[in-house]
Amino acid sequence: MKPFILERDLPLHLSSILDGFLYEVKEANYTGRGQVMGIEISTRTVNATSPKASIPGTRKGSDSPAPLPITRGVATVDASCEELRRFWAEGRDWARHMKIADPMFIKGRKQLIGDGLYQCYAAFSLPGDVAGVTPRDFTFNELVVARKDGSVAVVCWNQPWEAYPPDTSYFPSYIRGRIILSGYFARPLSKTKSR
């Protein structure tokens, strides 16, 4: 199995997930623009049941549309798309790297289950020191795709993992969260910078 997959080699069901993610990434109808620590933040609300929504776990044509908030952050990073692809497709030291990249990351595991497709478990604390708020954990698939234009897409969506069942005890260590759609998209700006 390869740590990433070329877009042209994607099976149809994964291609539709990538298409839905890229639609959300490139959607121009974002509002609420602002800057946080040099990152351009914008938001929008999407009806997950709309024909353009190709979001895993949502139902198209449902009688009760479920509006979902979408947040997009855009920044320039000092890394090539190739470096980012290698970083995102790395599974062995993933938990160590996540602790550096996200201070709320507690623990996790990532394993390759197909070309560019990973099964992941991650637990996160919540921002701030709020008494009585239980950390969240997630099980999800992650797809790492190299595109012919040199860009890289990483798409994550909820997927149960038998090795990590939800904690259903009266006082759980973690409350199981759900990733509807998340990811990263990087396009090259130069040989050493991406956006």
Side-chain angles (χ1 to χ4, degrees):
M1 290 183 280
K2 299 174 190 167
F4 67 96
I5 190 167
L6 299 174
E7 184 175 16
R8 69 172 186 250
D9 296 333
L10 279 173
L12 187 58
H13 72 287
L14 293 178
S15 183
S16 71
I17 291 170
L18 177 64
D19 289 346
F21 173 73
L22 292 175
Y23 172 80
E24 292 304 329
V25 166
K26 296 176 180 183
E27 170 65 42
N29 192 18
Y30 279 81
T31 59
R33 297 183 190 277
Q35 289 272 334
V36 178
M37 296 174 50
I39 300 171
E40 178 189 309
I41 305 292
S42 53
T43 60
R44 77 186 207 90
T45 300
V46 62
N47 179 349
T49 59
S50 72
K52 292 223 174 186
S54 186
I55 300 172
T58 61
R59 296 174 299 147
K60 291 181 183 148
S62 169
D63 291 335
S64 55
L68 299 171
I70 304 283
T71 302
R72 176 176 66 183
V74 180
T76 299
V77 294
D78 292 327
S80 69
C81 281
E82 174 63 21
E83 289 170 310
L84 292 171
R85 187 207 41 85
R86 283 196 313 266
F87 174 76
W88 288 324
E90 201 282 314
R92 188 174 35 121
D93 290 326
W94 179 72
R96 185 171 62 84
H97 292 156
M98 282 295 294
K99 285 185 182 190
I100 295 166
D102 188 339
M104 295 185 295
F105 180 81
I106 298 171
K107 65 180 183 174
R109 181 175 165 206
K110 177 177 177 176
Q111 74 177 22
L112 187 64
I113 59 172
D115 287 349
L117 186 61
Y118 295 84
Q119 193 166 31
C120 304
Y121 168 79
F124 295 91
S125 60
L126 296 173
D129 189 18
V130 182
V133 178
T134 306
R136 304 300 189 251
D137 69 349
F138 303 86
T139 57
F140 56 97
N141 278 350
E142 180 179 89
L143 179 65
V144 180
V145 181
R147 303 184 72 225
K148 65 182 173 187
D149 63 2
S151 63
V152 180
V154 178
V155 188
C156 303
W157 66 94
N158 195 68
Q159 182 65 41
W161 188 356
E162 214 171 89
Y164 296 95
D167 183 346
T168 58
S169 62
Y170 190 71
F171 293 109
S173 298
Y174 300 100
I175 294 175
R176 179 59 46 92
R178 181 182 168 127
I179 296 174
I180 296 173
L181 185 66
S182 182
Y184 304 95
F185 177 74
R187 61 178 173 79
L189 294 177
S190 70
K191 289 185 178 188
T192 60
K193 290 190 183 294
S194 302
R195 188 161 175 82

